[in-house]
Amino acid sequence: VALIFQLGLLAYAMYVLLGLMVVSRFVARHWIENLSATRECNRISAEIGDKLAVVVTVSNRGKLPVAWTLVEDSLPRQALVQRPPRIIDAARISYVDDETGATGQRWFACALSAGFDATVNERANLMHHPKGPSRYIIALGIELAKLKPYHYTLALDGTEQTVDANMVSIGNGVSLGGGMKITPDALLDDGLLDVMIVRPLSRFNFVRIFPSVFKGEHVKHPKVSILRAKDVRIAGEGVVVYADGERVGRAPLDVQLVPGALRVLAPTPAA
């Protein structure tokens, strides 16, 4: 159009603009392919309430210099949204290391497992083959074939009881392990732990009610009961304990709820 109307300067400007667009597209692609970002934390472990320093390093592997970049683009959008932190409870475990004999403390925010499910986790962790989720399925089958009740001594807020059960789980939250709602009515900020006790079941009944745990409907079974307490002690011979997916050790151990121990950035649950 500029050439038809003999607008030479306009035509020249359009060619320059087109050339800049082509060059900038090439340069931008080059930058994207050669930029990398790493995050480093000043500690490998931390307790609830500790402050950590995180260093984000942006590197350019290419030969062309990068004029500018937005660091925010390298982070999840949710991490940049400021909202008031939610205050939730957490549970502190006091235990004796079954390998060293040393006393220690650990924390969990979601759930603690003691019994069958922890034993499955233990076996899967000790297996070297196969890799991936199938290892857990094989471990589940092996332990299911050996299913037997444990003899527990439980103390809830100082009240002691003995019970034979396949498993005992303590929930601060609702679910664990990919959506299994073991304690469906648990609240993260109610100042109480929900203790689920599964009394002895046959292998057939154990397998039959297992799918219902994903909807939290297993609690309707007469062999499943939920109790609530602030302080829980679990003892029992051969009882392996895991908390939030990590091995703690073996019973006995004590669990104490600490109200308002954890500040988290998360959407407020709908009323």
Side-chain angles (χ1 to χ4, degrees), residues 94-106 247-250 252-253:
S94 300
Y95 68 100
V96 176
D97 191 292
D98 58 346
E99 295 181 354
T100 65
T103 59
Q105 288 189 339
R106 296 181 65 172
R247 190 181 195 276
V248 177
R250 294 183 180 272
L253 52 76

Side-chain angles (χ1 to χ4, degrees), residues 53-74:
V54 179
V55 178
V56 179
T57 303
V58 181
S59 303
N60 178 16
R61 300 189 304 271
K63 295 181 179 180
L64 295 178
V66 178
W68 57 272
T69 184
L70 291 176
V71 175
E72 289 87 347
D73 288 346
S74 300

Side-chain angles (χ1 to χ4, degrees), residues 93-154:
I93 310 168
S94 300
Y95 68 100
V96 176
D97 191 292
D98 58 346
E99 295 181 354
T100 65
T103 59
Q105 288 189 339
R106 296 181 65 172
W107 293 77
F108 71 90
C110 295
L112 176 146
S113 303
F116 176 78
D117 51 344
T119 304
V120 172
N121 206 340
E122 180 97 318
R123 178 172 289 278
N125 289 342
L126 294 174
M127 293 170 60
H128 300 292
H129 299 286
K131 304 295 184 181
S134 58
R135 180 170 58 182
Y136 186 86
I137 296 173
I138 293 174
L140 176 64
I142 294 173
E143 292 301 325
L144 185 61
K146 299 164 58 179
L147 181 67
K148 63 178 181 180
Y150 295 91
H151 186 70
Y152 294 91
T153 300
L154 305 176

Side-chain angles (χ1 to χ4, degrees), residues 40-232:
E40 293 182 1
C41 186
N42 65 335
R43 296 171 60 179
I44 60 173
S45 63
E47 296 291 340
I48 294 173
D50 291 351
K51 294 183 178 180
L52 305 177
V54 179
V55 178
V56 179
T57 303
V58 181
S59 303
N60 178 16
R61 300 189 304 271
K63 295 181 179 180
L64 295 178
V66 178
W68 57 272
T69 184
L70 291 176
V71 175
E72 289 87 347
D73 288 346
S74 300
L75 299 174
R77 184 175 299 274
Q78 294 83 351
L80 306 174
V81 177
Q82 295 185 356
R83 60 170 66 92
R86 183 183 175 192
I87 310 300
I88 67 172
D89 306 334
R92 180 171 55 218
I93 310 168
S94 300
Y95 68 100
V96 176
D97 191 292
D98 58 346
E99 295 181 354
T100 65
T103 59
Q105 288 189 339
R106 296 181 65 172
W107 293 77
F108 71 90
C110 295
L112 176 146
S113 303
F116 176 78
D117 51 344
T119 304
V120 172
N121 206 340
E122 180 97 318
R123 178 172 289 278
N125 289 342
L126 294 174
M127 293 170 60
H128 300 292
H129 299 286
K131 304 295 184 181
S134 58
R135 180 170 58 182
Y136 186 86
I137 296 173
I138 293 174
L140 176 64
I142 294 173
E143 292 301 325
L144 185 61
K146 299 164 58 179
L147 181 67
K148 63 178 181 180
Y150 295 91
H151 186 70
Y152 294 91
T153 300
L154 305 176
L156 280 68
D157 288 339
T159 301
E160 187 172 295
Q161 61 176 300
T162 58
V163 59
D164 290 333
N166 290 129
M167 56 187 288
V168 172
S169 295
I170 301 176
N172 183 43
V174 170
S175 61
L176 57 73
M180 291 186 288
K181 298 180 179 180
I182 58 167
T183 48
D185 296 321
L187 298 173
L188 290 167
D189 54 3
D190 65 348
L192 291 171
L193 295 166
D194 285 33
V195 182
M196 181 191 70
I197 303 172
V198 181
R199 288 176 170 76
L201 289 166
S202 67
R203 295 178 183 85
F204 174 78
N205 283 327
F206 195 96
V207 172
R208 186 171 63 86
I209 71 169
F210 177 74
S212 65
V213 74
F214 290 95
K215 295 182 178 180
E217 296 179 352
H218 62 294
V219 296
K220 298 177 182 179
H221 195 280
K223 294 287 189 177
V224 179
S225 59
I226 301 287
L227 303 174
R228 292 186 173 89
K230 294 182 178 179
D231 299 294
V232 181

